[in-house]
């Protein structure tokens, strides 16, 4: 397959990220590596979408903290960004509605007509305070390269989201933008296939099999219309899990299971283990969380006395 005939993918991970771990970041990396190895896909970006505060999970810290920790965790990545839309809504959003929001946003911002999006970015994607007087999304500057790199496209989507799709929250807002991003109004585009796939661990896939936990109509949309990339965790067997759900069996071809090292060291890392390590002063927390996140947690005194 040529680069233009491959399916271009954006990986979207929803969850508490309470806190975000090295395992979450490695999940993105493992999924991207696997999809590229199939020869059928090009991953142009990843999105971390923390859940709304009203999700009600025990021990869930404020989205203000979770967003900051997520931003710190991906600050060195040139293809993963944090999206605040879910946290900024009036109430909790279903995974289905989050996927639909991002699909609609992509259609509005890009028209799903992209070109050369597989070109590596030479500029890291960084976090910046949202500036109300920021420039128009599409500019015409013949002195700047018009190639819409993955970071450029994701940066523009994030910029547009902050500008037109988010209700202003009572906190400082951040968006991830590529400072050199410029799509160019005179650029010639070439239509390609772009898909947003839900990225998850096998534990979330297993939750699909719990009667009454998920709305069946939502499951039909998530698996049937979007598709899922599953990264196995804790030795779980995704194929066995899928056999326990009629909907998962029906759309089995839309479920891509990452087949790499089943004993990957990050497959056992979890937010729960990280919180327990913090509460007990366990030095192994450095194996679970990146240092900027640990520093932020200690500075903000998060989880230390929590029971969640």
């Amino acid at each position: 397959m040529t680069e233009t005939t491959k399916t271009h993918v954006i990986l979207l991970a929803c969850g508490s990220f309470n806190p975000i771990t090295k395992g979450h970041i490695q999940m993105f990396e493992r999924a991207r590596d696997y999809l590229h190895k199939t020869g059928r896909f090009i991953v142009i970006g990843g999105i971390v979408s923390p859940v709304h505060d009203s999700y009600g999970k025990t021990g869930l810290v404020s989205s203000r903290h979770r967003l900051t920790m997520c931003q710190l965790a991906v600050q060195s990545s040139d293809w993963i960004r944090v999206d605040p839309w879910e946290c900024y809504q009036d109430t909790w959003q279903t995974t289905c509605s989050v996927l639909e929001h991002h699909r609609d946003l992509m259609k509005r911002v890009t028209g799903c007509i992209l070109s050369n999006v597989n070109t590596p970015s030479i500029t890291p994607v960084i976090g910046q305070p949202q500036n109300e007087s920021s420039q128009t999304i599409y500019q015409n500057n013949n002195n700047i390269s018009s190639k819409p790199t993955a970071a450029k496209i994701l940066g523009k989507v994030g910029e547009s989201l902050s500008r037109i799709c988010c209700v202003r929250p009572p906190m400082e807002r951040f968006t991830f933008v590529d400072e050199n991003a410029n799509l160019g109004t005179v650029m010639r585009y070439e239509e390609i296939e772009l898909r947003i796939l839900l990225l998850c661990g096998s534990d979330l896939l297993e939750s699909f099999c719990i009667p009454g936990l998920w709305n069946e109509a939502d499951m039909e949309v998530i698996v049937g219309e979007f598709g899922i990339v599953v990264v196995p965790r804790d030795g779980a067997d995704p194929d066995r899990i899928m056999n326990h759900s009629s909907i998962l069996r029906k759309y089995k071809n839309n479920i891509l299971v990452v087949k790499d090292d089943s004993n990957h060291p990050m497959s056992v890392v979890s937010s729960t283990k990280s919180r327990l390590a913090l509460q007990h002063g366990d030095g192994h927390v450095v194996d679970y969380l990146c240092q900027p996140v640990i520093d932020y947690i200690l500075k903000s005194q998060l989880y230390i006395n929590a029971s969640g």
Side-chain angles (χ1 to χ4, degrees), residues 65-176:
H65 292 306
R66 289 182 290 112
L67 283 169
T68 300
M69 288 187 286
C70 287
Q71 290 168 348
L72 290 170
V74 304
Q75 63 185 349
S76 62
S77 176
D78 65 352
W79 70 281
I80 307 171
R81 72 175 183 86
V82 182
D83 190 284
W85 179 84
E86 194 174 348
C87 290
Y88 287 178
Q89 301 311 296
D90 292 334
T91 187
W92 169 76
Q93 303 293 308
T94 64
T95 300
C96 182
S97 65
V98 176
L99 284 164
E100 290 175 332
H101 159 74
H102 284 285
R103 179 178 61 186
D104 294 343
L105 180 61
M106 290 292 172
K107 287 180 179 178
R108 291 199 300 275
V109 174
T110 70
C112 289
I113 301 177
L114 311 174
S115 176
N116 298 324
V117 290
N118 55 303
T119 305
S121 173
I122 59 174
T123 305
V125 181
I126 60 174
Q128 295 180 325
Q130 177 67 18
N131 186 340
E132 289 299 325
S133 60
S134 54
Q135 296 178 338
T136 305
I137 296 177
Y138 298 101
Q139 306 172 39
N140 184 5
N141 188 334
N142 293 327
N143 294 324
I144 301 178
S145 171
S146 61
K147 288 185 178 181
T149 65
K152 289 180 180 182
I153 290 173
L154 267 292
K156 290 307 178 185
V157 170
E159 185 178 347
S160 304
L161 180 147
S162 297
R163 190 176 296 159
I164 64 176
C165 299
C166 292
V167 177
R168 180 177 295 280
M171 66 179 79
E172 188 172 17
R173 293 164 62 194
F174 289 85
T175 183
F176 286 78

Side-chain angles (χ1 to χ4, degrees), residues 193-237:
E193 182 183 0
L194 172 65
R195 292 182 64 186
I196 298 176
L197 297 176
L198 178 65
L199 173 63
C200 69
S202 50
D203 50 341
L204 187 143
L205 185 71
E206 195 163 20
S207 73
F208 283 168
C209 302
I210 301 175
L213 184 62
W214 288 81
N215 180 291
E216 288 199 6
D218 282 1
M219 288 179 62
E220 286 274 352
V221 173
I222 293 170
V223 189
E225 295 185 17
F226 287 93
I228 306 177
V229 181
V230 182
V231 178
R233 294 187 58 190
D234 291 329
D237 182 357

Side-chain angles (χ1 to χ4, degrees), residues 258-278:
V258 173
K259 300 186 184 302
D260 58 3
D261 182 4
S262 59
N263 296 316
H264 194 285
M266 289 294 108
S267 66
V268 296
V269 173
S270 69
S271 296
T272 300
K273 288 183 179 179
S274 302
R275 294 194 301 272
L276 290 173
L278 287 164

